[in-house]
Amino acid sequence: WMKITVFGPDANDSNLVRRIGAMEKLGHEVVGFTLRRDEDKPRPWNNIDLGRTYDAQYLQRISSIWRSIRQIRDHPLLQETDLFWARNLEMLAVAVSVRHHMGTAVPIVYETLDIHRLLTKSGPAHGILRWIEGRLMKKVDAISISSPAFQREYYDKTHPDHPPITLIENRLPSDTLPPRPGKSAPSGPLRLGWAGMLRCRRSFHTLCAIAREAEGRIEVVMHGLPAYDQIPDFDEGV
């Protein structure tokens, strides 16, 4: 087993909760250093709270990253870490800076469950972000992705000298799923769920159209935080 330090951008994110749970289930000792988008509350793992951030408030998030680096770089829980696991670009910056301050060679895994739209657009600011990502990745020992297309369409093209990549698909653990339903027709409407950070305008409008055109045969249930900067008509659509 290992002592793993996980740097996460949102302690309430279901993917982060599932990843830490899987690590602990394998017998690893995990401590999380996480920002959050909700109120401060107990987490199901040993967690060090780094404060609250807000969706689309990029300057505030940058300030939170630098504050986090200063806050934790001498934290005693980091001293015996065997592995740094950094979720997303901003937390990779924290992990790299903390490791540099510690003067150790703790390996870093950079996990990307998606490629942020700011990294794929053209323009000077987006190019600077890609340059920063490339510089940080030179300090990374491995990248974890959730889709092979991320490597094919982004990393191989944008950062051809990237570190080794491992695919860990974003799936629910099989032992947490209910029994597979039988072949008989459902007694009620078919229920579709959309959970997480609700920011994709196309997905939202597609689900609205499906629910509207199905005339009661399909029910859409949404769980998460809506990104009003991306879907300004969210409340009206719901």
Side-chain angles (χ1 to χ4, degrees):
W1 60 274
M2 295 188 295
K3 292 185 177 180
I4 303 176
T5 297
V6 175
F7 298 92
D10 183 4
N12 201 46
D13 179 66
S14 59
N15 295 310
L16 181 67
V17 175
R18 188 160 62 247
R19 178 71 72 244
I20 292 179
M23 291 175 178
E24 292 184 327
K25 188 174 181 180
L26 290 170
H28 302 300
E29 181 181 335
V30 181
V31 59
F33 289 81
T34 63
L35 296 165
R36 52 183 166 83
R37 300 289 181 87
D38 58 356
E39 70 279 1
D40 188 13
K41 59 185 179 182
R43 308 294 175 180
W45 64 85
N46 184 11
N47 189 66
I48 307 300
D49 178 60
L50 300 179
R52 185 168 187 172
T53 61
Y54 300 87
D55 185 51
Q57 300 295 320
Y58 298 114
L59 291 179
Q60 189 266 342
R61 285 167 67 178
I62 292 173
S63 174
S64 297
I65 291 168
W66 290 118
R67 185 179 66 248
S68 299
I69 293 171
R70 295 193 302 270
Q71 177 182 344
I72 68 173
R73 59 188 181 183
D74 295 313
H75 200 287
L77 288 176
L78 294 171
Q79 302 308 311
E80 298 181 0
T81 298
D82 298 308
L83 177 68
F84 283 169
W85 190 282
R87 284 285 312 276
N88 294 352
L89 182 58
E90 62 263 47
M91 302 315 292
L92 176 60
V94 175
V96 170
S97 297
V98 167
R99 186 179 69 172
H100 176 75
H101 177 79
M102 293 171 59
T104 68
V106 176
I108 297 177
V109 175
Y110 172 34
E111 180 181 22
T112 56
L113 284 180
D114 57 16
I115 306 298
H116 199 281
R117 63 188 183 280
L118 293 180
L119 290 169
T120 61
K121 292 182 178 180
S122 59
H126 309 293
I128 291 174
L129 274 179
R130 287 189 291 272
W131 178 83
I132 292 173
E133 183 184 47
R135 295 283 295 181
L136 290 173
M137 285 201 303
K138 294 183 182 300
K139 310 294 184 180
V140 167
D141 297 270
I143 299 175
S144 171
I145 59 175
S146 60
S147 168
F150 292 168
Q151 177 175 353
R152 182 181 65 248
E153 300 298 332
Y154 181 73
Y155 287 110
D156 285 351
K157 295 179 179 179
T158 306
H159 305 291
D161 58 344
H162 58 71
I165 290 180
T166 298
L167 173 66
I168 304 179
E169 292 183 308
N170 187 21
R171 295 184 178 183
L172 292 172
S174 59
D175 57 358
T176 66
L177 299 176
R180 182 180 294 273
K183 295 183 179 180
S184 58
S187 57
L190 178 66
R191 184 174 298 144
L192 301 181
W194 190 27
M197 195 65 198
L198 312 181
R199 67 165 64 255
C200 179
R201 184 185 296 106
R202 180 179 178 185
S203 297
F204 176 73
H205 289 154
T206 299
L207 290 172
C208 287
I210 289 173
R212 182 172 58 251
E213 295 171 9
E215 298 180 340
R217 299 189 305 276
I218 291 178
E219 177 185 0
V220 176
V221 182
M222 301 181 189
H223 300 271
L225 297 174
Y228 288 104
D229 62 314
Q230 298 297 313
I231 315 176
D233 59 341
F234 182 87
D235 293 339
E236 179 184 354
V238 170

